[in-house]
Amino acid sequence: MRIILLGPPGAGKGTQSERIVERFGIPQLSTGDMLRAAVAAGTPVGLEAKAVMESGGLVSDTTVVGIVADRIEESDAKRGFILDGFPRTVEQAAALDAMLARKGIALSAVVEFKVDETALLGRIAKRAEETAARGQPVRKDDTPEVFKTRLDAYRKQTAPLSDYYAKTGLLHVIDGMQPIDTVTQKTMSVLGQHAETAAS
Ligand code: AMP
């Protein structure tokens, strides 16, 4: 099963991903996590991405498409994967389509979490607080100022993907303002319909 999770920062993609990983045993491929790891390791990709990420902008399509293309070649992704935070632009979506077509595989579903933007700022503040309370480093882009830029980037560059995937018939929209467990239940119910393809 190959799934894309869509939704603005703070919509719950990470939390729902963890639960899908547990249920279906497919890996979560988060471009944000991969880029943060590259920044921490000081790789060429990390050096390119660092400042852009800290300002809340988007890393170049070429770079991100490249890391995803490499990652989905790894053995754990053969049975499927969850893409979290990718694609983020229509160009990335088109590049993904071409990449999957070359490999002779297809997406199973796109799940979009719709959320009320005014509530997101509160969620992000909570995520930063909880991370700090666990003694873990807080993401530099989880500040109110940078968050606004990230939300703006989402609205302008990523929101059009909703129409893009609606046209392919792959899109399922879920109200992400519901309690976390309800969102999980609805997500699992959507994905359950595709579980048969997951086995193939
Ligand atoms: P995220 O963890 O998904 O919120 O991503 C954190 C940051 O990484 C974003 O604000 C971007 O700067 C960068 N990033 C993650 N995924 C992508 C992507 N698909 N395209 C461009 N930039 C990305």
Side-chain angles (χ1 to χ4, degrees):
M1 180 159 53
R2 301 173 199 94
I3 320 161
I4 290 176
L5 298 186
L6 267 188
K13 300 187 298 294
T15 304
Q16 298 303 329
S17 280
E18 280 173 24
R19 296 177 176 195
I20 300 168
V21 168
E22 228 171 82
R23 172 78 65 94
F24 294 101
I26 51 175
Q28 170 207 14
L29 313 187
S30 154
T31 42
D33 286 350
M34 291 186 246
L35 289 167
R36 278 185 287 278
V39 170
T43 65
V45 165
L47 293 177
E48 181 207 319
K50 189 172 190 289
V52 180
M53 290 175 77
E54 284 177 5
S55 70
L58 292 187
V59 176
S60 78
D61 288 341
T62 321
T63 300
V64 178
V65 168
I67 59 173
V68 172
D70 289 346
R71 183 62 184 87
I72 63 178
E73 279 303 322
E74 287 179 32
S75 59
D76 65 335
K78 293 288 176 220
R79 279 187 55 244
F81 47 78
I82 307 158
L83 288 173
D84 164 7
F86 178 91
R88 241 175 167 105
T89 64
V90 170
E91 288 72 19
Q92 289 179 15
L96 176 66
D97 284 345
M99 195 194 299
L100 297 180
R102 274 197 301 275
K103 294 178 196 296
I105 53 181
L107 289 170
S108 314
V110 178
V111 178
E112 178 181 0
F113 300 116
K114 272 251 184 269
V115 286
D116 165 13
E117 283 193 9
T118 51
L120 290 177
L121 207 56
R123 280 194 185 184
I124 284 290
K126 194 163 161 240
R127 172 159 88 187
E129 258 169 43
E130 288 172 353
T131 308
R134 285 196 300 271
Q136 292 168 346
V138 176
R139 282 173 53 169
K140 282 207 178 119
D141 58 356
D142 271 355
T143 63
E145 301 73 37
V146 179
F147 184 74
K148 284 187 190 122
T149 310
R150 289 165 63 202
L151 210 49
D152 212 36
Y154 183 84
R155 232 182 272 121
K156 288 194 187 124
Q157 291 169 273
T158 312
L161 289 181
S162 188
D163 274 353
Y164 183 94
Y165 287 116
K167 285 187 189 128
T168 64
L170 290 170
L171 185 72
H172 300 268
V173 180
I174 291 177
D175 174 4
M177 296 311 292
Q178 301 170 103
I180 294 178
D181 288 344
T182 310
V183 176
T184 303
Q185 231 170 39
K186 300 211 164 149
T187 305
M188 295 304 177
S189 142
V190 162
L191 298 181
Q193 300 161 22
H194 299 280
E196 306 255 301
T197 9
S200 62

